[in-house]
Amino acid sequence: MSEHASYDNRADAPPVCPRHPDRISYVRCQRCGQPTCPECQRPAAVGVQCVSCVAQSAREHPRTRTVLGAPTGGDRPLVTMVIVAICVGVWVAEYLSRSSWLFQTFALAPAIGEREPWRFVTSAFLHGPLMHILFNMFALWMLGGYLEPMLGRLRFALLYLISALGGGVAYVLMTPLDSRVGVVGASGAVFGLFGAVIVLNRSLGRGTQGIWINLAINALLPILYPNIAWQAHVGGFVTGMLLAWVFARSKGKATLTYAGAAGVTAAVALAGAARYLIG
């Protein structure tokens, strides 16, 4: 009996779901007309469809993707919103608690980076003064809203996290290893997004004039605020450009994309490890 066959052919029999014949259902699929129980119902433009029709429609009309592999129509920058929410939530928690526990536990300092390597990434979710987080979150919101729909959620998340790692490694490479000065902030990751926009726009034949202006403004911040770790900006920017080059060259092919991203990550991690080994 096929999946859409009626469970009982009697005219007076109550309608039952073909996938769950023990369940009576008076709701019918808008596509095939068969009864469908609540578990098998999927929202449609009008009414509901059964899971079988939804699967068949997906086979007949595969979802199109951008040239970089992102599904078309995915305009909501969910990963960007999650990162912003985490950063703001952590900042508020630290401010309200009046405690330095989060900073002491997750900030990056060269002297402890070797023993606690997770700090290379966790430090990108912490911030200092109000202006620090405002600048970073504004830039992240603008760049993420542009890049995430272009790359897709997974590629964008990798871009952000690996750029954060690259920023942390660059800071360690250009700072004495015995330094216990902790650094925090999403600046390295944000500069990675700047670098990615430049590379991807050029690969797609789009202009980059506006991004250079924004980049120059952000590059001036270390002059106005001397405590900003400019080394992380440089490392994140270079890492972001490398990843964007990988994404552009792979042309949406998942295997090439993730293999290339893994290669960039390994190179960054090896550079950090060599710094500690050589001293």
Side-chain angles (χ1 to χ4, degrees), residues 168-191:
V169 168
Y171 176 73
V172 169
L173 288 175
M174 292 184 272
T175 306
L177 285 182
D178 59 353
S179 173
R180 291 187 172 273
V181 177
V183 293
V184 295
S187 301
V190 167
F191 269 77

Side-chain angles (χ1 to χ4, degrees), residues 9-55:
N9 292 325
R10 293 179 301 166
D12 59 345
V16 296
C17 176
R19 293 172 62 89
H20 302 95
D22 58 325
R23 304 177 189 178
I24 298 175
S25 176
Y26 292 94
V27 177
R28 294 182 177 273
C29 171
Q30 295 298 310
R31 182 170 178 174
C32 67
Q34 293 292 334
T36 177
C37 69
E39 184 179 337
C40 296
Q41 294 172 13
R42 298 294 182 269
V46 179
V48 298
Q49 291 186 7
C50 65
V51 291
S52 299
C53 284
V54 170

Side-chain angles (χ1 to χ4, degrees), residues 43-67:
V46 179
V48 298
Q49 291 186 7
C50 65
V51 291
S52 299
C53 284
V54 170
Q56 182 178 350
S57 178
R59 291 192 296 269
E60 294 174 352
H61 307 284
R63 194 173 185 182
T64 58
R65 293 182 175 272
T66 67
V67 67

